[in-house]
Amino acid sequence: MKKLLIASAILMAAPFAAHAGADFVEGDKIFGGDAELGATMTTGNTETTSVKGRLDMKHELGNWENQYLLEALYKEDTGEVTGKRYYGLVQADYKFDDKRYMFANGNHEIDPFTGFDSKSTVSAGYGHKFIDTGKTLFSIEVGPGFQYKRLDNESAAAAGYDSEDSWVVHGVANFEKQITDTSKFKQMFVADYGDSLEGRSETSITANIIGALAMKFAVIVRYNSEPLDEKKSTDTETNMTLLYSF
C-alpha cells in the first residue's frame, strides 16, 4: 500500500499549464460528457434485476485534457446478488502537439466476485495519436505503473496473505470510427502486465435516437491470466443502454 501511495504522489506532482484550447471536447465547449443507464427487471416465476450506469466526463484546460469516469454494475437473481462492480478512473493528458501527449492515470475497481475486495492501479507514460481525422481516431498509450490488490476474507484465508502488489507495464489501444452522421463504432484494449496479464476489451456501437439521446450496444471482455483458485480467467458483459451527451 505504501508503494501505491508513493506512485500516486508522483503522478499528482505533474505541473499544470494554460495555453490554447484543443478538440478533446466536441465543439467550442471546455467540458462535456456522456451519461448512460440501462436496467432490466423481471417478476413472477423468475425475479431478476440488472442495472448498469456510466458517467464519462471530459475537461479541456489549455494543453491539459482530463477524463473522469465512473461505472457501476449490479445484478440480482431471485434475491441473490450475482454481480456487483464499481469502477472509477481519472486520467490527465498533457499535449505536446496534436499527435503526442503524456498521460497520468489512476483507477480503482471493486468487484467482490473476482475474490478481491478492491484493485487500484496508477500509471504514467507516453501517448500517440496515429490517426486523428475528426471521423477516425487511432491512438496508443504505454508506460510503467503500479498495481495493488486486496483479497477478500475468504480468498485471504485460502491464500495465506491479504494483498498483492506489483509493478506493471500499462498499455491502451483505442480506435474510433464515425460510421454515419448518427452512428459511431469504438474498440478499446487495455492491458496491465506484471506478475500476471490483466486485460479488458470494450467494443461498442452508438446510434443517435433524437438530439443528444442515443442507444449504445457494448460487449466487454475482462481477462486475468492468473485468477484466484476456483475463479474463471475470463468475464464477459453485454449491455444495451441509453446514452445522453451533454
Side-chain angles (χ1 to χ4, degrees):
M1 187 64 180
K2 183 178 179 181
K3 294 179 182 177
L4 178 64
L5 294 175
I6 294 173
S8 299
I10 293 173
L11 294 181
M12 293 176 66
F16 286 86
H19 298 286
D23 57 358
F24 185 62
V25 181
E26 293 185 5
D28 297 326
K29 300 182 296 182
I30 62 170
F31 183 85
D34 299 321
E36 61 180 272
L37 179 65
T40 302
M41 287 179 280
T42 63
T43 59
N45 294 321
T46 302
E47 296 185 0
T48 63
T49 301
S50 176
V51 180
K52 169 67 183 283
R54 176 184 171 113
L55 181 62
D56 187 3
M57 298 172 290
K58 296 180 179 179
H59 182 210
E60 189 176 307
L61 182 64
N63 278 26
W64 286 94
E65 298 174 341
N66 305 320
Q67 180 186 17
Y68 315 98
L69 176 65
L70 295 172
E71 291 183 355
L73 173 69
Y74 180 85
K75 294 182 179 180
E76 187 177 290
D77 189 349
T78 318
E80 180 181 355
V81 178
T82 57
K84 183 167 62 175
R85 180 182 296 112
Y86 306 104
Y87 178 79
L89 173 147
V90 176
Q91 176 157 330
D93 299 340
Y94 181 78
K95 297 200 325 169
F96 299 116
D97 53 40
D98 290 340
K99 297 289 186 181
R100 303 174 301 126
Y101 60 94
M102 178 182 69
F103 74 88
N105 175 301
N107 63 77
H108 183 73
E109 181 179 59
I110 298 173
D111 186 353
F113 287 85
T114 62
F116 293 96
D117 273 341
S118 64
K119 178 178 72 173
S120 300
T121 307
V122 292
S123 59
Y126 174 77
H128 192 95
K129 297 179 182 178
F130 292 91
I131 303 173
D132 188 8
T133 65
K135 291 189 175 182
T136 303
L137 171 67
F138 176 63
S139 63
I140 289 180
E141 299 173 357
V142 64
F146 184 79
Q147 189 173 85
Y148 176 83
K149 296 186 284 188
R150 177 171 291 279
L151 282 70
D152 62 25
N153 292 334
E154 182 178 348
S155 298
Y161 55 90
D162 61 4
S163 65
E164 298 179 357
D165 60 70
S166 68
W167 293 97
V168 298
V169 176
H170 176 78
V172 179
N174 184 48
F175 176 76
E176 300 180 11
K177 176 67 175 179
Q178 190 80 33
I179 303 172
T180 67
D181 291 340
T182 59
S183 60
K184 178 181 285 189
F185 171 82
K186 292 184 179 182
Q187 175 64 62
M188 182 177 66
F189 296 102
V190 180
D192 292 303
Y193 181 70
D195 293 339
S196 64
L197 173 62
E198 297 188 17
R200 184 181 66 160
S201 166
E202 181 171 343
T203 308
S204 67
I205 295 178
T206 304
N208 279 31
I209 300 174
I210 183 172
L213 189 64
M215 182 71 73
K216 178 181 177 181
F217 175 76
V219 177
I220 302 171
V221 180
R222 294 177 175 85
Y223 175 77
N224 184 350
S225 65
E226 300 290 338
L228 295 175
D229 292 343
E230 300 183 0
K231 301 297 182 181
K232 295 182 178 180
S233 61
T234 304
D235 289 326
T236 60
E237 179 185 329
T238 303
N239 299 308
M240 182 75 76
T241 56
L242 284 175
L243 184 147
Y244 178 78
S245 300
F246 56 91

